[in-house]
Amino acid sequence: AALNPWDVMLCVSGTAIACENALVVAIICYSPALRTPMFVLVGSLATADLLAGLGLILNFVFQYVIRSETVSLLTVGFLVASFAASVSSLLAITVDRYLSLYNALTYYSERTVLCIHTMLAGAWGVSLCLGLLPVLGWNCLHDRTSCSVVRPLTKSNVTLLSASFFLIFLIMLHLYIEICKIVCRHAHQIALQQHFLTASHYVTTKKGVSTLAIILGTFGASWLPFAIYCVVGDPDYPAVYTYATLLPATYNSMINPIIYAYRNQEIQRSMWVLFCGCFQAKVSFRSRSPSDV
């Protein structure tokens, strides 16, 4: 088959995603200090994005080397499960950030660890079930009229996936609004204890809110076009529309390590140890709390 440039770009995107997130997974596994609930969630996100990147690579290889309906179903199911786990892990991180601020005094209790593990088990379990649906028969291989813009998924299948994404996005939006309120309230209380509102109070609050807006905006800008097109699109539309909305969605998995891992100074310190074999004392690091954004 002739090489499709869009498939090449998806494969390149998958390679970059796999390399970035493999490094994050290696750092978290290598460093015993990175065992807090926050890093467990970051590790879950990196693992999901790593699998998504590998899925994009495998999909490209099998599409041009081994053309088989069975293999196509397996790779599509693998991608659905991986990206679903990635989005679910993002939701779990948002919930964790909210809990770390709302229940700051009890955040480091065993109950929090149990809650995190339960969330991750539920997220990966649901993602696995979503990925198995096309493999177990919810596909359009034998009924072309039921195909969606993402073959071989059916219209009802992608509608379910899109509806799940919209629900997760709304929950994340609500939680981030609540986080902004808590951050602003805490900053204002600290300023009042000092008997005046300093310029740093406004700068800190503005920076925190801006960071949250960037996180949620990046997530929405990456996935919303594809989720909306899956609902309103028609399989008779040119395939370029599907590619044009799917490619930005993959960029979210490329940006996630930068937002949630490489900006964290504990991970930066572990990278120094991993690549240099020693920690340079002249470089100062400040340990961040789970609620840092």
Side-chain angles (χ1 to χ4, degrees):
L3 204 60
N4 187 335
W6 288 100
D7 289 329
V8 175
M9 286 189 287
L10 284 174
C11 183
V12 172
S13 177
T15 303
I17 291 170
C19 293
E20 279 186 298
N21 289 280
L23 179 59
V24 176
V25 173
I27 291 171
I28 292 178
C29 293
Y30 172 81
S31 306
L34 305 181
R35 295 293 184 269
T36 62
M38 176 183 66
F39 290 113
V40 171
L41 292 170
V42 173
S44 171
L45 176 62
T47 301
D49 287 333
L50 170 61
L51 294 177
L54 294 176
L56 290 172
I57 298 172
L58 293 175
N59 182 66
F60 177 82
V61 172
F62 291 143
Q63 186 174 356
Y64 290 96
V65 178
I66 306 175
R67 300 183 63 87
S68 167
E69 291 184 349
T70 302
V71 173
S72 174
L73 284 176
L74 290 175
T75 54
V76 169
F78 186 80
L79 284 170
V80 169
S82 300
F83 281 119
S86 175
V87 173
S88 300
S89 295
L90 287 174
L91 175 61
I93 289 176
T94 306
V95 173
D96 174 69
R97 285 182 168 179
Y98 173 75
L99 292 177
S100 68
L101 289 170
Y102 186 76
N103 297 321
L105 296 178
T106 60
Y107 177 78
Y108 290 98
S109 64
E110 294 183 0
R111 183 178 179 181
T112 301
V113 177
L114 178 61
C115 178
I116 295 300
H117 290 166
T118 302
M119 280 197 303
L120 288 181
W124 281 91
V126 172
S127 301
L128 180 61
C129 291
L130 292 175
L132 286 175
L133 289 178
V135 180
L136 297 178
W138 203 0
N139 58 71
C140 64
L141 293 180
H142 304 294
D143 183 13
R144 299 292 179 179
T145 59
S146 64
C147 281
S148 67
V149 295
V150 184
R151 296 182 179 87
L153 299 182
T154 63
K155 295 177 182 178
S156 55
N157 194 342
V158 297
T159 300
L160 172 64
L161 295 175
S162 298
S164 301
F165 167 80
F166 292 138
L167 177 61
I168 290 176
F169 182 77
L170 290 176
I171 294 175
M172 290 179 62
L173 177 61
H174 172 72
L175 289 176
Y176 273 126
I177 291 175
E178 293 299 318
I179 289 173
C180 287
K181 292 180 180 179
I182 295 174
V183 170
C184 293
R185 185 166 61 249
H186 285 183
H188 188 263
Q189 289 174 349
I190 293 174
L192 289 179
Q193 289 176 358
Q194 298 174 351
H195 304 293
F196 60 90
L197 297 176
T198 62
S200 60
H201 159 68
Y202 294 104
V203 173
T204 302
T205 304
K206 182 179 179 181
K207 182 180 178 181
V209 174
S210 299
T211 303
L212 293 175
I214 291 173
I215 291 174
L216 191 63
T218 301
F219 176 65
S222 299
W223 278 105
L224 277 176
F226 181 66
I228 294 174
Y229 182 69
C230 284
V231 176
V232 303
D234 189 273
D236 294 329
Y237 291 170
V240 66
Y241 296 160
T242 302
Y243 283 113
T245 53
L246 176 60
L247 188 61
T250 65
Y251 292 159
N252 187 66
S253 296
M254 197 182 302
I255 298 172
N256 283 339
I258 300 174
I259 295 178
Y260 296 97
Y262 295 134
R263 290 176 63 249
N264 186 280
Q265 295 188 6
E266 292 293 340
I267 290 184
Q268 291 175 10
R269 178 165 55 187
S270 298
M271 289 178 64
W272 276 98
V273 176
L274 182 64
F275 289 113
C276 301
C278 61
F279 176 68
Q280 297 184 3
K282 64 179 182 180
V283 181
S284 62
F285 293 91
R286 179 182 64 85
S287 179
R288 294 187 174 190
S289 67
S291 60
D292 284 351
V293 294

